[in-house]
Amino acid sequence: GSLSLLSGSPFMTGGSGGGNNIDPNEIAIASLPGTSYLYAANDGSGTLAAFRINTTTGNLATVPGSPFLADGAPGGDYSLATSPDGKLLFATEENVTVIHVYRIDATTGALKQLPGSPYNVGTNSQGLKVTANGKFLLAGETSLNAVAVFSISYSGRLTAVPGSPFMASGGAFAVDANCSSNLAFVISAGSPLIDVYSIASNGALAPVAGEPFSNGTTSTSGGVVFSPANQMLFVGDTFSNDVSAFAVAADGTLTEAPGSPYTTSSWPGGITVTQSGRFVYSSLFTVAEVDGRAVKSDGALAPVPGTPFSTGQS
């Protein structure tokens, strides 16, 4: 679980970042048969950088035409999400009221905005997630203390589902969903609470019994991620220097793992889990480091050898 910086890293994006924000969805990966592409938001430029991932070495090669214009400068914090089939990229910026939808060229990775995009959703959004069945786009609507759900047509068109937006415990800004596409998990800015919803067949959300759940601290959460095996939920607790882990029941009920929350060396922001579900990593955004944790059989987290790992820049 230890990390080694690639020889070519860091890779130039062709644009400027947005400062020390902790928004968890600044990077998205589209996986297609035989290849994968990485997209990164140039917050300060209002553009999207695109790279082809060398699946052998992990190195990145710039996609022709990158960076691609989104909202232009001056840009705020972006959130990106890809569809499970790797064909669509969704992007929004916290200072605008629109969501962009791009078609991903399977051969080159280039982005082309779809007809009708961007879609005006009437409020600022942060934190995008496409459900695993590809049917719905979830969006945290921070200014409304709510979560929006949009159905995704075959052509990529977005339509709000009945009842959307759905109330949250605070300014929802990061979301995730399980592989069965029947549970959604939401964290809010300035709140230690985790909202859990069931997702109906039409995309409507309903709070599960017992929610909201606490992250186990008095601190706001900075990122949330669901494990690939659908058994665990991991949350970065920003201002308490902690990462929390929860067992997830079939009905969405959360139970803290033994010893949770687990102390990190600094404030964690975005958080991710490996495809095997064995390791969890979070960005320590104020000290330019990444925290690494191994997931034990009971769901508890233990530091991996050498953690934290330097990124060389915040």
Side-chain angles (χ1 to χ4, degrees), residues 117-212:
S117 175
Y119 294 94
N120 194 332
V121 297
T123 188
N124 309 105
S125 302
Q126 286 180 281
L128 300 181
K129 177 69 178 183
V130 182
T131 55
N133 59 14
K135 292 182 177 181
F136 304 108
L137 175 70
L138 310 179
E141 296 195 341
T142 307
S143 59
L144 297 181
N145 291 354
V147 184
V149 184
F150 303 92
S151 62
I152 306 170
S153 73
Y154 178 80
S155 63
R157 182 176 182 82
L158 299 180
T159 305
V161 306
S164 180
F166 304 91
M167 297 308 298
S169 294
F173 85 108
V175 299
D176 205 353
N178 67 341
C179 294
S180 299
S181 302
N182 64 353
L183 291 172
F185 306 85
V186 180
I187 59 173
S188 299
S191 171
L193 300 179
I194 305 167
D195 286 308
V196 184
Y197 306 87
S198 62
I199 306 175
S201 59
N202 68 350
L205 302 183
V208 306
E211 79 92 32

Side-chain angles (χ1 to χ4, degrees), residues 175-294:
V175 299
D176 205 353
N178 67 341
C179 294
S180 299
S181 302
N182 64 353
L183 291 172
F185 306 85
V186 180
I187 59 173
S188 299
S191 171
L193 300 179
I194 305 167
D195 286 308
V196 184
Y197 306 87
S198 62
I199 306 175
S201 59
N202 68 350
L205 302 183
V208 306
E211 79 92 32
F213 302 94
S214 172
N215 64 18
T217 78
T218 59
S219 170
T220 183
S221 298
V224 59
V225 66
F226 198 69
S227 72
N230 284 243
Q231 296 174 328
M232 299 295 301
L233 188 77
F234 305 104
V235 177
D237 309 319
T238 301
F239 302 118
S240 61
N241 293 23
D242 292 311
V243 172
S244 297
F246 301 88
V248 183
D251 63 357
T253 301
L254 300 182
T255 303
E256 285 186 291
S260 181
Y262 310 95
T263 302
T264 58
S265 60
S266 188
W267 293 351
I271 191 167
T272 191
V273 61
T274 56
Q275 191 174 30
S276 67
R278 293 179 57 200
F279 302 104
V280 175
Y281 300 95
S282 54
S283 58
L284 306 180
F285 60 97
T286 64
V287 292
E289 293 176 334
V290 173
D291 179 81
R293 305 271 149 174

